Amino acid sequence: MYLATTGRPDAPPAPAGIRRRVPGTVLALGTVSLVTDVSSEMVTAVLPLYLVLGLGLSPLQFGLLDGLSTGATALVRLLGGTAADRGGRHKTVGGIGYALSAASRLGLLLAGGATGWIAGAIGADRLGKGVRTAPRDALITLHSPPEDLGRAFGTHRAMDTTGALLGPLAAFALLWATADAYDAVFAVSFCVGAFGVLLWLLFVPGRARVPLAPRPAAPAPPRGRCGLPAALRSPGYRRIVLCAGLLGAATIGDSFLYLLLQHRLDLDPTWFPVLPLGAAAVFLLLAVPAGRLADRLGRRGPLLYGHGALLLAYGLLLAPLPDPVVLPGVLVLLGLFYAATDGVLMALTGPFLVEGREAGGLALVQTAQALARLGAAVAFGAVWTAAGPRTALVAALVALAAAVCCSARLLPRGVAARTGPPPLPEPSERTDRP
């Protein structure tokens, strides 16, 4: 059956003035993501230096290696989501993804300078990320009240981003303490990743919904009407998938934005690895408030306003403003963009999913967005190469403005969660009759 609104009639919200707690499962998932992101970002922060400066790969070789693994990740999301939905195996499939990513750090440690083995280890890491993402987000959906999905995803993303902040700091501290011993970074990253897998096994429950009031059992879906084809029969879900693709196709990657900042401000290359930390800090501060605001006012608005913030970031890079205004402005707007869109898109999608097919439904939205962003990155790089960075940025700005306008018309208008006391039942529905 479809869940067509953000709140269920048989699961009334808490009375006004009572602060609802974030479910323990969401906190457990957030802790696992925090630990895993420390592990993964330790490697991500030093990998370009290790491959390009340490092993002598050209930037083109590194770009192709990274691009191919990213494209494969987008397609694996669907497989992971579909496998997790079969029998409610979200914990099993997600655990395999986390274990695969942790093992990839050991692969980097054992690869030495062999490019083929390094490529395999990077591919295993991206494969693990693609497999685990949809089951993890489905568990957040399954263990959170529908009216609190925005806050649940915001809390998870905030904890996830904390790991993304700590990982690069730990990696560069290790390199400083060990005189650029990359093997030490890979070894510590593997240990941290293995600890994340242990936390997943011990503290993350399997598939279970938020307790609801008893209701009549829903009839079984007809043969051939389950899975992703059934989800796509929902007009609201189809529109979300379409808008995720439209907005993703007009969103250039973070690395390009940081390169544009470096090109515009002529920053010293030694400061380049610090730029993502600024945007991540803003994301960390605003993820939970953005999720709570989305639960209260509706989720399509923050999603659109978040892309509006990215539009302003593009404009700042083009505007003739002083450098001390452009640098913090772009980083703040980029962090605001992620805070208002990353978890909010999943929360917006949640009420339109088919019961028993949550992971597959979320995976399709994520895959559409990831593939569209991959195409956008290739197109932006091609225009930059042919006509220069300013022309490429103007084209991206126009494309994003058009995508936001189209999405404003297409995105479904979900009902915002109620915050007042639940209404009294009708006389015929009262259960306290003598």
Side-chain angles (χ1 to χ4, degrees), residues 78-103:
L78 279 176
L79 297 177
T82 303
D85 283 332
R86 292 179 179 174
R89 297 180 295 180
H90 301 92
K91 180 173 181 177
T92 301
V93 175
I96 291 173
Y98 280 105
L100 194 57
S101 291

Side-chain angles (χ1 to χ4, degrees), residues 42 109 171 174-175 177-191:
M42 286 178 68
L109 182 62
L174 269 174
L175 288 179
T178 60
D180 293 340
Y182 291 99
D183 286 353
V185 176
F186 299 150
V188 173
S189 174
F190 167 70
C191 294

Side-chain angles (χ1 to χ4, degrees), residues 132-311:
R132 72 177 184 253
T133 300
R136 180 203 65 202
D137 286 350
L139 284 172
I140 296 174
T141 302
L142 291 167
H143 288 269
S144 303
E147 67 272 14
D148 285 343
L149 278 177
R151 185 174 63 157
F153 276 103
T155 300
H156 174 270
R157 296 311 196 251
M159 298 178 73
D160 184 89
T161 306
T162 301
L165 278 170
L166 296 176
L169 297 177
F172 287 112
L174 269 174
L175 288 179
W176 176 79
T178 60
D180 293 340
Y182 291 99
D183 286 353
V185 176
F186 299 150
V188 173
S189 174
F190 167 70
C191 294
V192 176
F195 180 59
V197 175
L198 181 63
L199 291 176
W200 176 275
L201 294 174
L202 294 178
F203 297 106
V204 175
R207 186 185 189 280
R209 283 198 173 276
V210 177
L212 300 175
R215 60 181 176 180
R223 180 181 296 272
R225 293 182 60 86
C226 48
L228 291 181
L232 289 172
R233 288 187 174 88
S234 165
Y237 179 77
R238 287 201 306 269
R239 292 184 178 189
I240 291 173
V241 174
L242 176 60
C243 290
L246 281 175
L247 294 169
T251 304
I252 63 176
D254 298 354
S255 297
F256 277 122
L257 278 180
Y258 300 140
L259 286 172
L260 287 167
L261 270 176
Q262 198 275 337
H263 183 270
R264 160 78 186 265
L265 307 178
D266 196 23
L267 292 174
D268 190 300
T270 57
W271 290 100
F272 189 82
V274 182
L275 293 177
L277 300 182
V282 176
F283 184 11
L284 172 62
L285 291 174
L286 298 181
V288 176
R292 296 182 65 181
L293 185 66
D295 287 336
R296 183 174 294 271
L297 302 179
R299 292 156 189 160
R300 66 188 301 276
L303 183 66
L304 294 172
Y305 293 141
H307 284 87
L310 185 61
L311 198 63

Side-chain angles (χ1 to χ4, degrees), residues 30 42 49 77 106 112 154 158 163-164 195 208 222 224 275 282 285 325 340 358 385 407 421:
M42 286 178 68
L49 300 175
R77 291 176 192 261
L106 187 60
F195 180 59
L275 293 177
V282 176
L285 291 174
V325 174
E358 293 86 358
T385 303
S407 298

Side-chain angles (χ1 to χ4, degrees), residues 309-322:
L310 185 61
L311 198 63
L312 290 177
Y314 293 175
L316 269 183
L317 287 168
L318 292 168
L321 295 173

